[in-house]
Amino acid sequence: MEESLSLLKEIHQEFGECDVDIRTYSPLTLAYIGDAIFEMVIRTLIVEKGQRAANSLHKHTTKIVCAGTQAAMIEALADVLTEEEQSIYRRGKNTKINSSAKNASLSDYRKATGFEALCGYLYLSGNTKRVVELIKIALEELQIEV
């Protein structure tokens, strides 16, 4: 099987490398891209389970891609995060948030923001393998079916 480039490498190859040091990105910027990456992983897992109606796919996805589940996932990962990952998570969790979740407590929303910031940081660092690894560990730990 032919080895494919990661999405980030494909983007850089087609549009050019980014000159910005991602360590300077705000936690909310990291969470913004991390939210999309997390959702893409979950959507991919759900779609690959088999053909379903779009409404069914959406309902299944939204049960997992929500602040409450993300908060539980980051708690399940507490023992496997590196010091650097814990630092990124804390920056995201402790950042000033100017919005609120529709169906989550402020505590869960903050934890979810930290989780998304971590996903975004790892993705932009080119470490998509670690993003997928952490999501897999959390899904298994919480016994969440995709």
Side-chain angles (χ1 to χ4, degrees):
M1 175 174 12
E2 183 179 321
E3 194 70 28
S4 66
L5 294 173
S6 75
L7 177 61
L8 184 62
K9 287 181 182 176
E10 289 279 353
I11 292 168
H12 287 166
Q13 190 175 49
E14 291 298 321
F15 296 96
E17 292 277 339
C18 178
D19 290 337
V20 178
D21 181 354
I22 64 167
R23 292 173 297 184
T24 64
Y25 286 175
S26 78
L28 293 179
T29 298
L30 295 174
Y32 174 77
I33 192 74
D35 177 52
I37 295 305
F38 177 67
E39 186 161 347
M40 190 166 71
V41 171
I42 297 303
R43 283 182 180 219
T44 301
L45 292 170
I46 290 171
V47 165
E48 289 184 343
K49 292 287 183 183
Q51 187 69 16
R52 292 192 253 179
N55 187 39
S56 173
L57 294 170
H58 177 72
K59 284 182 180 180
H60 195 93
T61 301
T62 55
K63 287 180 185 175
I64 300 169
V65 182
C66 65
T69 301
Q70 289 175 337
M73 290 178 77
I74 195 66
E75 288 174 356
L77 293 170
D79 294 337
V80 299
L81 297 179
T82 66
E83 285 186 33
E84 178 184 31
E85 291 167 347
Q86 290 173 8
S87 175
I88 298 298
Y89 162 70
R90 277 192 305 276
R91 277 185 59 214
K93 183 183 95 166
N94 294 331
T95 195
K96 183 177 181 198
I97 300 171
N98 295 321
S99 61
S100 61
K102 296 175 202 159
N103 300 309
S105 68
L106 181 59
S107 174
D108 280 355
Y109 191 63
R110 288 183 174 285
K111 290 175 187 175
T113 301
F115 175 74
E116 290 170 348
L118 175 59
C119 289
Y121 179 82
L122 292 171
Y123 169 72
L124 292 173
S125 298
N127 200 350
T128 52
K129 183 176 181 175
R130 182 65 172 162
V131 174
V132 172
E133 178 184 352
L134 291 175
I135 292 170
K136 182 180 183 200
I137 291 168
L139 291 172
E140 289 174 352
E141 182 74 25
L142 298 172
Q143 299 178 351
I144 296 174
E145 288 287 322
V146 270

